[in-house]
Amino acid sequence: MCKVSVLMSVFNENEKELDEAVFSIINQTFKDFEFIIVNDNPKNTDLAKKLDDFKILDKRIVIIKNEKNIGLAMSINKASQLAKGKYIARMDADDISVPERLQWQKEYLEKCNVDLIGGITQVIDEEEKVIYSIKKIPANPDKIKKCIRYNQVVPHPTWFGRKEMFEHLNGYRKIPLCEDYDFTLRALLKGYRVSNLNKVVLQYRMTSQSISRNNLFEQFLYAKYITCSYKKGKIADEMKRCSSRTEFCE
């Protein structure tokens, strides 16, 4: 059994970005991991060949091919069910992990006896130029419980957590645009300890396609809905539909 299972879903990333993401994991200073990559674009034969080449290159790579496109959250759920590691780390197919990421996060999680952590992201553009880097994020578990009432403060692309927690929570739920936020809120309500490592662990690629402007308002509505339930000490119902007229906090 390996120590860490790194989970990544691929859909339509360009070849250069995918190469950088994959090699940033292959070249980690921490070596005891498996790298599960889900092909969520099964009709793309070039992508399938590319992923097969990765598998030949490094035996730690496991490829899962979906029968149809099911989206990022459900693809990661699928991968987590097959994960053999004690810990699970998230990775996106257009980001770049720093070489020490897995080592740093594993050591921090074990030292602080927490269940899920994130880390600082350095935001880069399509040309890999640094746009900005957050200086500090909340690390104290009690402070995170308070801050998360207003916004997600555990950056999703940087997650590193205990597999047993993912199993207990049954992974992500169908809360459109807010699956990671919903997962974090449920983890806290179930008593899991959440923290952040205040080191840059990942370069997050911001592109014109990163977030659709058409989805921003809907994302806000879903976030409002699940945080209102959290403030009441409750887990929001799954698949609740939102609209501009929805009354969130009754």
Side-chain angles (χ1 to χ4, degrees):
M1 178 182 292
C2 59
K3 282 285 185 181
V4 179
S5 296
V6 182
L7 312 184
M8 185 174 83
S9 178
V10 182
F11 177 66
N12 201 31
E13 291 74 18
N14 70 51
E15 186 173 335
K16 178 178 178 293
E17 292 173 357
L18 182 58
D19 280 345
E20 290 173 339
V22 170
F23 280 100
S24 76
I25 295 299
I26 290 176
N27 294 325
Q28 287 287 302
T29 57
F30 182 82
K31 304 297 183 184
D32 187 14
F33 64 85
E34 63 176 349
F35 190 6
I36 304 178
I37 304 176
V38 182
N39 180 355
D40 196 32
N41 191 355
K43 294 182 180 180
N44 188 331
T45 55
D46 290 337
L47 175 60
K49 184 180 184 305
K50 180 73 173 176
L51 295 179
D52 285 341
D53 289 341
F54 284 140
K55 185 176 179 180
I56 294 171
L57 178 67
D58 194 309
K59 293 181 180 179
R60 294 172 297 182
I61 292 178
V62 179
I63 305 298
I64 300 172
K65 186 175 182 179
N66 291 339
E67 294 182 1
K68 61 179 182 179
N69 171 244
I70 61 175
L72 173 65
M74 296 305 108
S75 292
I76 297 301
N77 279 352
K78 191 173 181 179
S80 67
Q81 292 170 2
L82 299 175
K84 299 176 182 177
K86 181 179 180 180
Y87 305 115
I88 284 178
R90 277 281 293 109
M91 182 66 191
D92 282 339
D94 56 355
D95 294 336
I96 302 171
S97 285
V98 302
E100 303 85 1
R101 176 192 169 184
L102 297 182
Q103 185 70 46
W104 286 345
Q105 290 192 295
K106 175 181 175 295
E107 291 175 353
Y108 180 84
L109 182 139
E110 293 177 343
K111 178 181 178 180
C112 297
N113 191 29
V114 291
D115 302 295
L116 175 68
I117 64 172
I120 291 179
T121 58
Q122 188 178 63
V123 181
I124 58 175
D125 63 17
E126 292 166 299
E127 303 301 321
E128 295 178 31
K129 294 179 181 178
V130 176
I131 301 174
Y132 67 90
S133 180
I134 298 171
K135 301 297 183 182
K136 191 176 182 180
I137 49 181
N140 182 284
D142 291 330
K143 187 173 183 179
I144 285 177
K145 287 181 182 179
K146 296 176 182 179
C147 293
I148 207 163
R149 293 158 61 97
Y150 308 102
N151 198 9
Q152 170 65 293
V153 293
V154 189
H156 188 212
T158 69
W159 280 12
F160 187 103
R162 300 182 190 274
K163 184 187 176 185
E164 61 193 41
M165 178 195 62
F166 283 83
E167 292 176 334
H168 183 210
L169 295 175
N170 293 317
Y172 301 99
R173 300 192 303 164
K174 293 181 179 179
I175 305 288
L177 306 172
C178 291
E179 290 93 344
D180 64 303
Y181 200 178
D182 171 69
F183 183 98
T184 315
L185 295 175
R186 288 187 290 123
L188 291 168
L189 288 170
K190 291 292 185 179
Y192 288 104
R193 286 169 53 81
V194 179
S195 182
N196 278 309
L197 171 63
N198 267 296
K199 287 185 178 182
V200 174
V201 298
L202 180 134
Q203 289 186 310
Y204 175 81
R205 196 184 302 271
M206 181 71 73
T207 69
S208 58
Q209 303 300 318
S210 294
I211 300 176
S212 171
R213 293 181 182 274
N214 295 329
N215 290 334
L216 289 178
F217 183 59
E218 186 180 1
Q219 184 179 45
F220 165 78
L221 294 176
Y222 277 107
K224 182 73 172 176
Y225 167 64
I226 60 178
T227 51
C228 279
S229 293
Y230 174 77
K231 291 173 185 177
K232 298 175 185 177
K234 300 178 181 178
I235 294 174
D237 292 335
E238 190 174 7
M239 292 300 291
K240 176 97 173 184
R241 298 304 301 177
C242 299
S243 74
S244 59
R245 296 186 176 90
T246 301
E247 292 293 334
F248 292 100
C249 297
E250 299 174 354

